[in-house]
Every structure is written in C-alpha cells, then in structure tokens.
Amino acid sequence: MQASEFQHAVAAARSIAASVDLTVDDAVVLQNSNKLTLRLLPCDVLARVAPAANHVAHTEIELAQRLTESGSPVAALEPRVEPRVYERDGFVVTLWTYYESATHREVSPADYADALGRLHTGMRNLDVPAPHFTDRVERAQQLVASRDRTPALADADRELLGNTLRSLRRVIGQRDGAEQLLHGEPHPGNVLATRNGLLFIDLETCCRGPVEFDLAHAPEEVGEHYPGADQGLLRECRILVLAMITTWRWDRDDQLPNGRRLGTEWLSQIRAALDRDGLGIRS
C-alpha cells in the first residue's frame, strides 16, 4: 500500500474495530503489500485493509465461513463481531482471528501436502463463482505485452516471458484433466503453523483449475507427498507460475520489497527450467 494511503488505512481499521466494541490501543503492521495486514491490540484481532475497489473481500468472507463450517484448514473470522466486510473512508476491512505461531521449525512437506489436500477436499464441494486460472495467465500476458506497464523489461526477457506464458497456457489447457475450486496461491507465506495445525489464509486468490496449479506454489517436496498428483503437469504448472510471478515483479507499480532483484533471478530460473525439462520454449 502506498505511503499516502497507509495512515488512512490504519485509521480506518482502528475506527471500525472501535465501532464494534473492540479495544484498540495499538496497530502492529504484519504485512504491507497490495493490502495492509494489522494486528490490533489489546483485542488481539487481525485486520486486513484494502482499497474499497477491492471487491473480492466479499467472496473471501463467504469462502472462509463455508470452509470453516466444513472443518477445512483455513483461518477463521473473528468470532466476536459480525462476519462481514466493513467499509470506512474508501477502504474495506475484514476482521480475523489472530493465531500465535506454534513452532519456529520448518513445516514438513508431508504435513503441508496433507493440509492442502484437506483444503482441496473442502473446496471441491463448494459451488461459488471464481475465475479460471487461465484468466490470471491472460492478465500476466497483457502485462508482458505492455511496454508502458513494464518499461524496464528487456526485449529478450519480454519475449521469453510471453512465449512461456502463451505456450504453457495452451499445453496445460489441452490436458483436459479434472478441475476444481483452488486456493490460487497456497505458497508458504499463506500458510500458518498454529496450535490447531496448518491453516491457509488469503482466500481472495481462489480460482478454478487443476490441483497441480495450487501445488506449483508450494515447495517442490510437497508435490511428492500429494496423492495422485500428475508430476508432468505439476512441472509445467511450476514453470507457468514462475513466469507469472516473474511478470508481476516487472510491473512498474509493483510494491514487493526487492521485487526487481527477484524478477531478475527468476528469469534465470525460468531459462534453466525450460532447458532441464526440454519444453522447447525459447526467447
């Protein structure tokens, strides 16, 4: 979130919390990216704040409620307040349970795969509108094609990303395998290790596609423990996801710290992965 919005976003979260009788003396910033994540104290509530134009918060609330009811491993909404999207001064705010970390040890791939599998089982039974994963690929393709939005991207790298996104989108789409509702970005940053086990957060990225698209966001070892995963499809999805997140880093408006350095490193990883897997995609 831009510095010009930051203080207003914090003020909106504190104001909304006070309006529902939560005591807030301090707001600790846990993450600041496209949205702001705050720990409100002493009420100990997690607040997620986004510009009001972010309408996916309503879908996230619905998904969280339904998945929690089914026993799926997701973070719960704050039980002391009405489960809804709150709006104030141009921002939307959602209030969640705050979870203390249960361990500083690395999450095992087997536990990660088990939790993701249980999440997929819960999502498989939900009939909610969600974009197809290829819609996200298309947005990345549009970004690559726009020199105005990605002015620092070299021509050879632009061609590499464009070819990779286009080719793998086609190859994966031609597989015609089973698809379902997915988390969309179940990477380690969206997994909490709590006393209740592993819980997934940030459901606003949900989409439809093969489970391998979700697995492509997790550490490689996780895919080895996920029952029934198509390893060939997973390799393709990993490169596709890498091309997508690399593209975001070259967006002139990207706010991720060290984003440009990561974008440069990931371009090299894409070339190495294409050579290793012999997919025949070249810049």
Side-chain angles (χ1 to χ4, degrees), residues 1-2 5 31-37 202 255-257:
M1 189 170 290
Q2 299 290 347
E5 300 177 295
Q31 185 179 32
N32 183 13
S33 55
N34 60 321
K35 67 174 65 63
L36 187 64
T37 304
D202 206 356
Q255 298 179 39
L256 186 71

Side-chain angles (χ1 to χ4, degrees), residues 89-277:
D89 300 331
F91 295 95
V92 293
V93 179
T94 52
L95 301 173
W96 303 80
T97 298
Y98 176 79
Y99 296 91
E100 289 282 0
S101 178
T103 177
H104 295 292
R105 294 177 301 176
E106 186 175 347
V107 174
S108 77
D111 288 344
Y112 201 133
D114 175 71
L116 186 55
R118 289 187 289 115
L119 177 63
H120 285 158
T121 297
M123 288 185 141
R124 200 169 295 133
N125 299 318
L126 297 183
D127 183 19
V128 296
H132 197 259
F133 82 98
T134 53
D135 294 340
R136 193 177 303 173
V137 180
E138 183 176 357
R139 290 197 296 273
Q141 289 178 277
Q142 292 172 350
L143 189 59
V144 168
S146 173
R147 293 182 182 275
D148 287 340
R149 296 177 61 192
T150 54
L153 190 59
D155 288 346
D157 298 332
R158 189 182 305 277
E159 186 176 0
L160 172 70
L161 288 173
N163 289 345
T164 302
L165 292 166
R166 181 179 61 256
S167 298
L168 288 177
R169 176 183 176 183
R170 183 185 67 250
V171 168
I172 294 170
Q174 290 174 343
R175 282 182 172 270
D176 198 28
E179 296 187 347
Q180 67 157 83
L181 187 66
L182 304 172
H183 180 286
E185 292 185 3
H187 54 69
N190 282 334
V191 182
L192 302 179
T194 76
R195 296 184 182 89
N196 298 323
L198 300 183
L199 300 176
F200 289 91
I201 61 172
D202 206 356
L203 299 171
E204 67 171 17
T205 56
C206 70
C207 59
R208 293 192 176 275
V211 295
E212 287 80 5
F213 181 78
D214 259 4
L215 279 169
H217 292 80
E220 288 194 18
E221 297 83 358
V222 174
E224 299 171 5
H225 293 271
Y226 192 99
D230 182 325
Q231 296 300 322
L233 174 56
L234 179 53
R235 284 192 295 273
E236 293 165 354
C237 285
R238 285 197 186 283
I239 301 174
L240 176 64
V241 168
L242 183 58
M244 290 168 59
I245 63 175
T246 300
T247 298
W248 309 143
R249 303 291 73 83
W250 291 93
D251 187 341
R252 66 184 180 192
D253 297 323
D254 184 49
Q255 298 179 39
L256 186 71
N258 300 317
R260 193 55 52 81
R261 177 181 59 79
L262 290 171
T264 300
E265 292 177 3
W266 292 343
L267 283 167
S268 297
Q269 291 180 25
I270 291 170
R271 288 187 169 89
L274 292 174
D275 288 340
R276 180 184 65 242
D277 295 333

Side-chain angles (χ1 to χ4, degrees), residues 24-42:
V24 182
D25 296 329
D26 192 16
V28 180
V29 178
L30 301 181
Q31 185 179 32
N32 183 13
S33 55
N34 60 321
K35 67 174 65 63
L36 187 64
T37 304
L38 304 168
R39 182 184 183 185
L40 305 180
L41 296 168

